[in-house]
Amino acid sequence: MSMIGNFLALPQDELDCLFEEPETIASSLDEKYADAIVDIDKAWHGIHFVLVGEQYGGEPPLSNVVFGAKPIGEEDVGYGPALGTTAESVKQIAAALDEISEEKFREKFDASALEKADIYPQIWDEGDEALDYLASYFAELKDFYKSAAKSGNAVITFLN
């Protein structure tokens, strides 16, 4: 089984409604928002580790890039609950990501550290191919957050 990282930008008021009625999250993701979800394949965990140097956790705003800020209820939408990040926090994330060029991201990549920390998807012995894989999805995620912040949107993240 694969664990795929998913990201959805949406208006803050819609995120607020999901926090108020978390039981609607699965149907919303499957039906209402299905065509708007950005998929970064299995790169999510590697990107998180390169950004914060930890398997999970870390300091916001970069720790919230992949793992979001707050669970939307308790319903499992694949691998745990979906996580919501407010529009204000999305602006902070976008600004923090803007400070990290692709070159800087590549410099922070340490295949042996990723391997030692058991970071999914355990492809770190593939060297430059693994780095290129992460860097391409990092660029996509950076663009996603920049666009979401520019539009004043909140973000939902989830693994499935």
Side-chain angles (χ1 to χ4, degrees):
M1 288 184 116
S2 297
M3 293 190 293
I4 306 299
N6 297 279
F7 298 80
L8 169 68
L10 73 169
Q12 180 64 52
D13 62 338
E14 291 185 36
L15 178 61
D16 293 340
C17 287
L18 289 168
F19 277 125
E20 290 171 17
E21 298 178 29
E23 66 279 0
T24 65
I25 187 66
S27 62
S28 292
L29 294 174
D30 291 342
E31 297 164 16
K32 184 175 182 180
Y33 302 115
D35 293 337
I37 294 172
V38 172
D39 166 346
I40 64 162
D41 198 49
K42 301 172 196 165
W44 58 273
H45 204 197
I47 290 170
H48 176 79
F49 188 82
V50 170
L51 291 176
V52 302
E54 297 182 26
Q55 261 189 336
Y56 302 97
E59 291 297 316
L62 292 177
S63 64
N64 295 339
V65 170
V66 171
F67 293 113
K70 180 180 170 187
I72 302 171
E74 297 177 11
E75 186 170 347
D76 186 341
V77 295
Y79 290 94
L83 302 154
T85 303
T86 66
E88 187 58 39
S89 292
V90 167
K91 289 177 187 173
Q92 295 169 0
I93 290 169
L97 289 174
D98 195 46
E99 298 293 317
I100 304 170
S101 65
E102 182 178 337
E103 181 180 333
K104 190 183 262 187
F105 182 84
R106 287 176 173 276
E107 288 171 4
K108 291 178 69 157
F109 177 86
D110 180 345
S112 62
L114 286 149
E115 186 73 36
K116 184 178 178 182
D118 197 29
I119 301 301
Y120 184 78
Q122 292 89 20
I123 59 168
W124 315 119
D125 60 346
E126 294 177 17
D128 287 343
E129 287 181 31
L131 173 54
D132 291 344
Y133 173 76
L134 278 192
S136 69
Y137 281 113
F138 170 71
E140 187 174 336
L141 204 50
K142 190 173 170 178
D143 289 344
F144 166 82
Y145 273 102
K146 183 177 184 175
S147 176
K150 185 177 179 182
S151 298
N153 283 329
V155 166
I156 292 175
T157 63
F158 63 100
L159 300 176
N160 71 355

